[in-house]
Amino acid sequence: MPVYRAPVQDSLFLLNDVLAVERYANLPGFANASPDMIEAVLTEAGKFCEEVLFPINQSGDLEGCTRHDDGSVTTPKGFKEAYKAYCDAGWTLLTQPEEFGGQALPHVVGFPVEEYRMAANQAFAMYPGLTQAAVAAILVKGSDEQKATYCPKMISGEWGGTMNLTEPHCGTDLGLIRTRAVPNGDGSYAITGTKIFISSGEHDLTENIVHLVLAKTPDAPDSVKGISLFIVPKFLVNDDGSLGDRNALQCGSIEHKMGIHANSTCVMNYDGAKGWMVGEENKGLAAMFVMMNAARLGVGIQGLGQADIAFQNAVAYAQDRRQGRALTGPQDPQEKADPLFVHPDVRRMLMDAKATVEGLRALCLWGALQVDLAHVAETEEERQRADDLVSLLTPVIKGYGTDKGYDVATNAQQVFGGHGYIEEWGMSQYVRDARITMIYEGANGVQAMDLVGRKLAQNGGRAIQAFFAVIDGECARAKDNEALADFAGRLEKANGELKAATMWFMQNGMANPNNIGAGAHHYMHIMGIVALGSMWLMMAEAAGKALAEGRGNKAFLEAKLVTARHFAERFLPDAGSLRRKIEAGSEAMMALTPEQFYAA
Ligand SMILES: Cc1cc2nc3c(=O)[nH]c(=O)nc-3n(C[C@H](O)[C@H](O)[C@H](O)COP(=O)(O)OP(=O)(O)OC[C@H]3O[C@@H](n4cnc5c(N)ncnc54)[C@H](O)[C@@H]3O)c2cc1C
């Protein structure tokens, strides 16, 4: 049977020793986040995820959601009770503003909690996760009345939230949206159209569901410039805040899909449903992007969560299962075979997993800190720098993070041999659940294009220059430390490959834009490697310092140093080969006709 242990020790190491969040105690929100408080929150969250969410992960996968003839949807056994316990314990409130009932803790404290719940039960975690993203959009773009009407109940978890972009003919290319919004003359709109693949579109966990829907008004340009965003609640809300009539929308069906079975993926039919515009007309995409940016970081955390739970179980299995003998001679001569753990190839998979999971965890928390600093840092310059960095790294956290999260999950499954393919062990579910993270919230190819096609050039390349400066600064500082000098030299080299790839795009992208598209995925991966490299450098420095001062768990800290070395030896060199792929350009990639691709 699979197990889950929340990685509280690692989260605390990152928050206290690596990111040293205590130094921001003067900033709004951070004052509430003392080390003791953080430890208490993460310990309780870990316990909740281990004891309440994880036990219904496998059963939820087996049972899935059920749609009834009246369009209602029932979540698997135990989900309703777990959701109530989740809300009662206040887990929906952590990072939300105090004026709407939240606890206003920094995101850097909320992210580990999100990771634990994603790892313990991704399908469950998506229900409150989407609500959180919808709240983010209403808080930034909604009117005061909309905030007052919807945010308190969504933040408390009494009402859910969804995001409705996709239509049957329209996925990545949102300019193709056909859903219509016709003014009713009273400030509301009649929304008509069909949305597909809507996560948490209908379920039995909350008394109301607030759908955020992209649609076009009658005279809007028929392109991305003509999209507006609307709040379309399942039940209309009376002036006194109570629930009124049922709105004209329904779940037409739910999808039978590869993973996340316990999260309802719905076809949503809007038949003149009443909706209210959020923000300005034709500026809906910008409003939805507030939600999508929050959700993209959230999906990066899903990739991390699935990688972590798969990795944990693979480590346990490799110690238990006995096959063959160590290449260097029997390790347990009294037994007929040694544990899988002795085989270097099994170690390769486990060490790669450890280096990736712990590196991604650091990057996600570093990203969360930038989200906080972008809002509350003392100076405009600091806020802008943090905003530049997190917006540059968001496609990397989502795209690279979920590509690698899936790799880790399949490698962890590989450690189980044939047993990994059998549902009972749980590994198959982690692989299936991880797979969607590479597809939704903008498929990873689109994340790579967002990075290379949009983010690199924004504001004259200000963000990428800031990123290079961060890495260069860290390497220069670390080179003075004998224990870190080798790592710093290798990271500097990988950063040099990233700089060269950036320059190659500048020189070869204008003449042939396909050169950008052909190298975008590789570029996103080089940046992921460099970003994780910088995290490992910071972790090695913090671990070395704690060891020298005789603080902390010695075995845990020593493992950090060894894993940093593994990352330097086995991950950083890939930056060079990825750069060479980029420099090969697009000629061969784009040369064949469709007929030449497959000749039977
Ligand atoms: C389980 C599940 C849950 C979902 N939840 C939601 C939800 O809650 N709300 C919602 O609105 N949607 C949701 N989606 C939809 C999801 O976001 C889309 O499937 C995704 O955005 C891709 O769109 P598509 O499937 O139409 O693929 P397409 O857009 O047809 O893309 C197909 C492939 O082509 C590539 N591609 C397309 N255009 C480009 C381009 N310009 N440059 C480079 N590559 C390109 C893509 O990367 C992809 O690999 C969900 C989907 C699933 C399966």
Side-chain angles (χ1 to χ4, degrees):
M1 288 297 273
V3 291
Y4 176 64
R5 295 288 309 280
V8 176
Q9 180 176 209
D10 200 30
S11 309
L12 291 175
F13 168 71
L14 290 169
L15 292 171
N16 296 330
D17 295 85
V18 180
L19 300 174
V21 294
E22 219 181 342
R23 72 191 140 135
Y24 301 109
N26 60 325
L27 301 179
F30 282 85
N32 305 335
S34 66
D36 288 349
M37 159 77 163
I38 293 177
E39 184 165 353
V41 169
L42 299 197
T43 305
E44 275 312 302
K47 229 167 95 184
F48 185 88
C49 295
E50 289 166 5
E51 294 174 3
V52 180
L53 301 187
F54 178 66
I56 53 170
N57 189 36
Q58 211 172 7
S59 56
D61 178 59
L62 269 176
E63 184 184 339
C65 292
T66 311
R67 179 186 175 276
H68 306 282
D69 290 343
D70 63 356
S72 64
V73 171
T74 312
T75 52
K77 194 161 166 276
F79 269 52
K80 253 181 118 160
E81 295 75 11
Y83 185 77
K84 184 172 181 316
Y86 184 83
C87 297
D88 287 350
W91 294 119
T92 58
L93 310 176
L94 281 188
T95 57
Q96 301 292 358
E98 274 169 335
E99 60 174 312
F100 297 113
Q103 294 171 350
L105 281 168
H107 289 88
V108 76
V109 179
F111 265 42
V113 177
E114 200 164 332
E115 181 203 327
Y116 305 164
R117 70 174 199 231
M118 290 298 181
N121 195 327
Q122 181 176 330
F124 175 94
M126 286 173 68
Y127 293 101
L130 278 152
T131 308
Q132 209 171 301
V135 166
I138 298 174
L139 284 176
V140 174
K141 298 288 180 182
S143 66
D144 287 346
E145 191 189 338
Q146 288 169 341
K147 288 180 205 170
T149 306
Y150 297 102
C151 289
K153 297 239 169 172
M154 292 174 80
I155 286 174
S156 68
E158 287 162 87
W159 297 354
T162 69
M163 51 197 291
N164 290 235
L165 295 80
T166 309
E167 298 179 9
H169 60 287
C170 154
T172 304
D173 187 355
L174 293 170
L176 301 174
I177 278 176
R178 286 188 195 140
T179 298
R180 289 281 167 227
V182 179
N184 286 325
D186 60 357
S188 70
Y189 289 76
I191 311 288
T192 303
T194 297
K195 297 286 180 181
I196 63 166
F197 297 161
I198 304 309
S199 300
S200 318
E202 178 59 45
H203 55 78
D204 56 357
L205 301 182
T206 58
E207 62 184 23
N208 200 6
I209 302 175
V210 180
H211 301 286
L212 289 190
V213 181
L214 287 183
K216 286 178 179 161
T217 49
D219 300 323
D222 195 17
S223 69
V224 279
K225 294 198 174 118
I227 300 173
S228 303
L229 180 66
F230 298 86
I231 289 179
V232 191
K234 176 175 162 184
F235 286 98
L236 301 176
V237 183
N238 296 323
D239 288 345
D240 64 0
S242 61
L243 293 186
D245 291 343
R246 174 76 203 239
N247 208 351
L249 60 96
Q250 209 184 32
C251 164
S253 63
I254 55 174
E255 304 294 348
H256 299 280
K257 54 194 191 288
M258 177 176 174
I260 51 167
H261 292 156
N263 188 270
S264 55
T265 306
C266 304
V267 171
M268 296 301 299
N269 295 320
Y270 296 89
D271 300 310
K274 259 193 170 188
W276 287 266
M277 193 180 282
V278 181
E280 286 177 59
E281 189 168 355
N282 298 337
K283 298 275 170 62
L285 211 52
M288 190 57 110
F289 256 103
V290 175
M291 188 164 177
M292 278 155 71
N293 279 332
R296 283 176 177 178
L297 291 173
V299 174
I301 297 176
Q302 290 177 0
L304 162 64
Q306 291 313 303
D308 186 43
I309 191 164
F311 165 57
Q312 290 188 17
N313 282 282
V315 171
Y317 189 80
Q319 293 169 79
D320 241 35
R321 172 84 170 165
R322 291 179 180 277
Q323 291 293 302
R325 287 297 188 191
L327 295 173
T328 49
Q331 299 295 297
D332 289 340
Q334 75 287 3
E335 301 284 346
K336 283 192 166 166
D338 288 333
L340 295 178
F341 217 61
V342 303
H343 302 303
D345 191 59
V346 172
R347 289 290 187 120
R348 168 186 66 79
M349 294 187 274
L350 295 176
M351 281 304 290
D352 282 1
K354 185 171 170 62
T356 305
V357 165
E358 294 176 16
L360 283 177
R361 180 172 296 127
L363 183 62
C364 287
L365 283 189
W366 177 88
L369 181 60
Q370 305 312 311
V371 172
D372 288 319
L373 295 178
H375 288 107
V376 299
E378 265 171 325
T379 66
E380 171 59 27
E381 195 188 338
E382 288 169 287
R383 289 195 293 275
Q384 184 174 81
R385 184 172 164 279
D387 193 46
D388 282 349
L389 287 172
V390 73
S391 91
L392 180 75
L393 268 298
T394 295
V396 177
I397 290 174
K398 196 283 179 181
Y400 175 78
T402 60
D403 278 356
K404 297 304 290 182
Y406 180 74
D407 277 359
V408 168
T410 50
N411 270 335
Q413 182 186 38
Q414 188 77 10
V415 169
F416 279 69
H419 300 274
Y421 203 67
I422 305 301
E423 292 294 338
E424 183 191 348
W425 289 92
M427 304 307 284
S428 160
Q429 183 188 354
Y430 307 142
V431 172
R432 289 187 284 103
D433 286 359
R435 187 65 185 86
I436 187 58
T437 63
M438 299 156 78
I439 296 174
Y440 59 19
E441 262 332 301
N444 284 358
V446 175
Q447 300 298 327
M449 283 306 292
D450 178 43
L451 173 66
V452 179
R454 271 185 68 232
K455 300 282 171 68
L456 283 189
Q458 252 172 13
N459 304 306
R462 196 174 67 202
I464 187 69
Q465 293 307 332
F467 181 73
F468 289 148
V470 168
I471 307 294
D472 286 339
E474 276 170 15
C475 290
R477 206 164 44 82
K479 277 183 162 176
D480 293 339
N481 180 338
E482 203 185 321
L484 301 175
D486 178 64
F487 191 113
R490 290 170 190 256
L491 177 58
E492 200 171 37
K493 190 159 176 234
N495 197 32
E497 309 286 10
L498 185 65
K499 286 179 184 171
T502 312
M503 186 61 78
W504 192 88
F505 278 143
M506 284 167 67
Q507 290 165 346
N508 297 277
M510 289 287 252
N512 182 359
N514 279 341
N515 283 331
I516 303 228
H521 168 87
H522 307 309
Y523 188 90
M524 180 173 77
H525 274 245
I526 307 186
M527 191 176 270
I529 290 168
V530 172
L532 252 62
S534 114
M535 296 300 130
W536 273 112
L537 182 58
M538 290 198 290
M539 287 192 274
E541 186 179 8
K545 187 161 177 272
L547 280 168
E549 292 169 3
R551 288 187 287 111
N553 175 341
K554 193 160 172 279
F556 169 86
L557 295 168
E558 284 173 351
K560 285 283 176 205
L561 298 180
V562 174
T563 313
R565 182 173 160 199
H566 179 83
F567 190 88
E569 291 172 353
R570 305 276 168 161
F571 284 67
L572 289 178
D574 289 343
S577 89
L578 289 168
R579 172 194 159 184
R580 282 190 286 282
K581 288 189 197 187
I582 291 170
E583 290 176 352
S586 59
E587 237 176 82
M589 202 175 273
M590 300 304 285
L592 299 186
T593 62
E595 295 73 33
Q596 285 176 297
F597 259 90
Y598 184 74

